[in-house]
Structures are given as C-alpha cells and as structure tokens.
Amino acid sequence: MDDWIIDDERLSLERKSVLPGEGFFYPDSLEESHKEAEAVEALTAAERVIIADTDADGLGCVALIREACGDAGLVPAGPHELGQSVEWAREYAADDAAVFICDLCPDSPEDIAGIDELAERTTVRWFDHHQWDEDLAATVRRAGVDLTVGDSEEVCTADVALAELDYDFPARFDTLAAVTRDHDLWIKEDERSDDLADYSMWSDPEKYVETIREHGADFPPEVEEFLAERRVEKEALIEKAVERAQLREVGEWTVGVTYGRCSQNEVAEALRQQGADAAVIVKPAGSASIRGTETFERAHEVAAQVHGGGHPRAAGCKPHIYDDMLDYAHHWTTRGAVAKQKILDAFENLPDEDEEGIETEQ
C-alpha cells in the first residue's frame, strides 16, 4: 500500500473527519514490537518506573512522581494496554525497583495476571480514581501492592498522587492537580484545563511532562502559539461531528449520538447544550466515548456492557464488532452505525435504578 493513501496531510477535512489517523493502518504487531523496545529501554536497570495513561491526568502523575522521587522511566499505557505493560514490567524491571502504576484500572483478571510476580521483587504503588471491581482491587492488594483509589466523582489521579507522595510540592503542582481535575472530571470551570488536555494529546509525552514540571498549568507563549495553530483544525473537526449528530430518545433520556475523529469533550458539551442528557461519540478507529451530565451519571455502566469502563460522567469502550477490514469499511461508510446501535442498546439495557438498589442490598 502506498504511503500517500493514509497520509493525513493530503486528506480533505471531510475525509479526515470520517477516517482514522494513519497510525491505525499499521499492524498491531509492528506497533507492539516498537512499544516493547521502548518499554525495555525504560525498564531495564531503572530504579523507578511509571506505567501511566498518556492523557493529562496520567502524565500529571508522572510529573509529580519525578518531582518527588527523581528520575523514572515511563512506560506509556492506554486502558487496553495495562495487562501487557504489567507483563513487560514483570519481565524487564530491575529487582527492587519502585514501580508506580497511574490512572489505569483493570477491566479483567487478565489485566493484572503478572502483578503477583512483579510485586514479589519490586515495590509497587498504584494510584487511580476509576470505578474498581472489588474483587480485582482485593487481588491487587493481596499481591502486596499499595493501592490507593480516589473517589472518581471528587478527585483525579493527579490529586491522589499529590496527596500520597511524601513531598513538599511547590504551589504550581497543587494548581496543576486542580486544573487537571477540572478537565478529567469534566467540571470545565478553568479555561486552562483545555490547554492541558490538548497539549497532552498533541505533544510527545516526555515533552508534556517536562513542560508541566517547569510551568505547571500556566504554559509559556511558545506552547500557547502551538495550541492556537492546532486548534484551527480541531474546531473544524468538532463542527463536523456536531453537524452529523442526532438526538435519540432512549428510555427516560435524550442521547446525542455522533461519529467522527474529533475532541469528544467539546462535542459532548455541544450536544448537552442541544438538550442531550448523555452523548455518544463513535470514533473511526472503532472506539467510542460516552459522556454524561448532571441528569445522567451512569456512563460507566453503559460502557461496561460494551467492553469498556470509566466514570459516572465519562467513560470509554470499543464494541467487539470488528472481525475483518470489511467490518471497518462498513464502519467508515455508515458512520459507525453498528457501534452506535450497540451502545444505544446498552442504554436500553440499563436496569432501573430502584431495581439496581434492591439488587445491591440483596
């Protein structure tokens, strides 16, 4: 396949909106080999190692740990890469290393299959704020891991790390955690939270960590200029996703549903202003974001039905509906029709809250 076919730079905005980024078209095996090589480099002989999500919250934890404890190798890990990252740490981390796992929550026992062996020969601390399964949390703690999970409705993981690390942080780190929380919990009261979210997504993780360690949440002019340039296209992609959105009545809720490569939080906010209690944004790569509001705080319950998880007002998932490239071709040409329906069905299947309370009591 010619490189130009997947070259983002030559795509029109309309086509870019409905197709995944060029990284999607590289085989997972190639990407995994590259990631493993980077993990080996970060883990081997390092006194401290951090396995973290690469969003603003996870990388905020990296900055806090490095500030408090010194140099630490970073193993980037998305929610679906946790099990592999733990396995790499088990295999390659130095004996007696200090291992930190941040802003990641296991969805199944497979995600923590190597935790016992890792904790036997290293010191493992785990900071998070997601909705944990009680059995998985108990398994992690029995392995000897120092696990701290904050209230997902009150704090982000950076808040947890700030509180748990025994260090007198400069004031900019308190501010950094507060602004990160504003973004991660979708409070949206501090305009700087969008800067953190966008810069963590658009810059290299190490560059982001270096910047926030030095400047906190108040970025220097060169970063602000970079963000302003990138946001021209970002706003256009948001507009495309909002234009193709539909409001659907599901049970007692109005659900805004759309498709596109876009910034999900801004799209969800636009749908909320149109009257949506919840928003579903299906991405070209097959994943989806589910956002709630003050009238819908069960996003994590919806996501759990379609191979995902998260928080009451912010969750993510990837329905298991893609068996070959024809399925993806159908996904792109129908603007995510099958994925949308799967997620709307999950809304339909939510138990009545009164019934759920009865089941919990039993």
Side-chain angles (χ1 to χ4, degrees):
M1 182 171 64
D2 290 334
D3 289 349
W4 65 269
I5 292 177
I6 60 173
D7 182 5
D8 262 1
E9 296 304 317
R10 59 173 287 275
L11 292 177
S12 67
L13 184 69
E14 177 63 34
R15 287 182 177 270
K16 186 177 290 190
S17 175
V18 299
L19 290 171
E22 58 189 75
F24 170 87
F25 297 95
Y26 294 107
D28 287 347
S29 57
L30 179 64
E31 184 177 5
E32 185 170 324
S33 295
H34 178 68
K35 287 183 176 180
E36 182 171 8
E38 291 185 333
V40 171
E41 183 178 356
L43 289 162
T44 303
E47 293 183 9
R48 285 169 292 276
V49 174
I50 308 169
I51 300 171
D53 196 352
T54 54
D55 66 358
D57 197 17
L59 294 179
C61 295
V62 176
L64 288 161
I65 293 167
R66 286 181 177 173
E67 186 71 17
C69 304
D71 291 341
L74 172 61
V75 179
H80 301 295
E81 301 163 334
L82 174 58
Q84 181 63 83
S85 298
V86 170
E87 179 61 24
W88 285 336
R90 183 198 65 78
E91 185 172 353
Y92 300 117
D95 289 342
D96 299 322
V99 178
F100 296 87
I101 304 175
C102 300
D103 199 35
L104 293 163
C105 175
D107 292 324
S108 68
E110 288 74 22
D111 289 339
I112 51 174
I115 200 69
D116 289 278
E117 292 183 49
L118 177 63
E120 279 181 8
R121 59 184 191 80
T122 68
T123 301
V124 184
R125 301 186 70 183
W126 198 321
F127 303 146
D128 194 32
H129 75 136
H130 292 91
Q131 301 277 326
W132 276 65
D133 176 87
E134 291 183 6
D135 291 338
L136 293 179
T139 298
V140 167
R141 290 191 170 104
R142 280 197 302 269
V145 175
D146 181 2
L147 172 65
T148 305
V149 181
D151 184 341
S152 65
E153 297 186 44
E154 299 293 334
V155 298
C156 65
T157 309
D159 286 314
V160 176
L162 185 73
E164 291 298 314
L165 293 167
D166 186 14
Y167 184 75
D168 186 13
F169 286 98
R172 68 180 181 278
F173 288 97
D174 294 276
T175 303
L176 174 68
V179 179
T180 302
R181 181 193 326 127
D182 184 78
H183 159 68
D184 208 64
L185 271 60
W186 207 22
I187 301 169
K188 307 291 287 182
E189 293 178 351
D190 192 316
E191 62 183 15
R192 293 171 296 178
S193 67
D194 285 339
D195 290 347
L196 293 184
D198 287 345
Y199 195 50
S200 66
M201 179 172 58
W202 292 333
S203 68
D204 175 80
E206 291 291 354
K207 180 64 175 176
Y208 180 81
V209 171
E210 177 185 342
T211 301
I212 60 174
R213 279 191 68 184
E214 181 176 355
H215 299 281
D218 296 301
F219 289 151
E222 59 268 25
V223 172
E224 295 289 356
E225 291 171 10
F226 168 78
L227 291 173
E229 291 174 4
R230 290 294 301 266
R231 280 173 175 156
V232 174
E233 180 177 277
K234 174 188 174 181
E235 293 301 325
L237 291 172
I238 289 171
E239 185 176 340
K240 288 289 183 185
V242 173
E243 285 175 356
R244 65 173 69 100
Q246 295 180 318
L247 295 180
R248 303 281 294 273
E249 298 302 321
V250 184
E252 61 187 279
W253 306 292
T254 299
V255 182
V257 187
T258 190
Y259 169 92
R261 196 197 317 182
C262 60
S263 177
Q264 60 266 15
N265 286 343
E266 286 84 346
V267 172
E269 175 60 20
L271 298 181
R272 186 192 67 80
Q273 292 179 9
Q274 293 179 17
D277 298 298
V280 175
I281 303 97
V282 175
K283 300 298 188 68
S287 61
S289 294
I290 303 165
R291 294 293 183 264
T293 64
E294 63 279 359
T295 57
F296 184 81
E297 297 186 335
R298 304 178 70 181
H300 60 302
E301 295 180 47
V302 174
Q305 297 180 58
V306 273
H307 309 284
H311 310 295
R313 291 200 193 182
C317 62
K318 187 172 184 179
H320 287 184
I321 56 175
Y322 311 101
D323 292 328
D324 54 37
M325 285 304 291
L326 281 176
D327 288 334
Y328 274 109
H330 183 265
H331 177 70
W332 303 327
T333 56
T334 64
R335 308 300 190 258
V338 177
K340 288 177 182 176
Q341 191 57 55
K342 287 283 186 182
I343 297 169
L344 287 173
D345 289 345
F347 275 88
E348 290 273 13
N349 293 333
L350 285 174
D352 183 84
E353 287 188 290
D354 291 335
E355 293 177 6
E356 191 177 46
I358 293 171
E359 291 173 3
T360 301
E361 290 173 7
Q362 293 176 340

